[in-house]
Amino acid sequence: MTPELLGFQITHRAMRGDVRRLADLATELAEGRQSADPARATAIAGFIAALCKGIHHHHTMEDQVLWPVIERAAGAEVDLRDLSDDHSELDPLLAEINGQATAFAAGRDASALVTSLTRLADMLDEHIEEEERLLFPIIRKYVSVADWKRVEDAVRKGGDVRVDLPRIEQYARPEELARLRKMAGPVLALLLSLLRGGHRRRQRLIFGPLAEV
């Protein structure tokens, strides 16, 4: 058996998708093509804060848990320095975005968010594509299923099921969602049905016309 990487793939896709949509939303807000009353501005800022927290947790778990697992398993077959350098550049940008989101909720315009969110979206696109290209074949070849489960468990501990599960349904392709349901059993379908309505309402409030992926 080889590690099942589908969960990581969908998480990566969701991070990239949400940041890019936020960059597009900030552009529309800054250009006056959408508007945000205080309630919507607060919801947007809260979503940005939660997303930044999730991105920080994900790359921290890669640094602290996944990288040591890969290095022990693959040894000289892998060089993680460039990917780790990318991670070190993320945290200052995430902090900057959090500050700009707070200012936006307090009444500032969205122009600063446009630049920072677009930069973050571009960074994530490049970094994740490189990470999956380099590391996924190595993980499948060298990492045991038990070690991979430890990685997934560590990542999952810092998540929020109310946010993470609806995003999986939102970003998974139909055939991927079918695989996940087969692996997880009926509990997944039940949780998705319970969380779906609230997630869609939040998406409509935050993204407006951009709510659909």
Side-chain angles (χ1 to χ4, degrees), residues 11-12 14-20 22 47-63 86-87 89-91 93-95 97-98 116-117 120-121 123-125 127-128 131 155 158-159 164 167:
T11 298
H12 284 167
M15 288 192 297
R16 293 173 64 179
D18 279 348
V19 173
R20 186 65 68 183
L22 283 168
F47 185 82
I48 290 172
L51 182 60
C52 288
K53 180 180 178 182
I55 293 170
H56 169 77
H57 172 71
H58 184 85
H59 82 68
T60 299
M61 289 300 96
E62 288 184 334
D63 287 336
D86 288 349
H87 286 176
E89 294 179 20
L90 278 175
D91 279 341
L93 180 56
L94 294 173
I97 290 169
N98 268 320
S116 298
L117 286 168
L120 178 61
M123 285 177 63
L124 287 178
D125 284 348
H127 173 79
I128 288 172
E131 181 179 309
V155 173
D164 296 339
R167 289 172 77 228

Side-chain angles (χ1 to χ4, degrees), residues 22 25 29 36 39-49 101 104 113 205-206:
L22 283 168
L25 173 61
L29 290 165
R40 187 184 183 201
T42 298
I44 291 168
F47 185 82
I48 290 172
F104 173 71
L113 282 169
L205 173 62
I206 292 164

Side-chain angles (χ1 to χ4, degrees), residues 96-153:
E96 179 181 292
I97 290 169
N98 268 320
Q100 293 166 349
T102 300
F104 173 71
R108 291 274 187 92
D109 66 34
S111 55
L113 282 169
V114 175
T115 301
S116 298
L117 286 168
T118 300
R119 182 183 168 209
L120 178 61
D122 291 343
M123 285 177 63
L124 287 178
D125 284 348
E126 181 178 354
H127 173 79
I128 288 172
E129 286 173 10
E130 185 75 354
E131 181 179 309
E132 292 186 356
R133 183 184 68 82
L134 290 175
L135 296 189
F136 277 18
I138 287 174
I139 292 168
R140 291 188 177 103
K141 183 174 181 180
Y142 293 105
V143 175
S144 70
V145 171
D147 280 344
W148 182 249
K149 184 179 184 303
R150 279 203 310 114
V151 173
E152 289 194 309
D153 288 345

Side-chain angles (χ1 to χ4, degrees), residues 161-194:
V161 69
R162 296 168 299 177
V163 175
D164 296 339
L165 280 183
R167 289 172 77 228
I168 287 173
E169 184 175 46
Q170 182 180 358
Y171 282 97
R173 301 182 183 106
E175 67 276 11
E176 293 171 338
L177 196 55
R179 279 171 59 192
L180 290 172
R181 284 176 169 151
K182 185 176 181 180
M183 288 186 290
V187 173
L188 177 61
L190 176 61
L191 288 172
L192 289 174
S193 68
L194 291 172

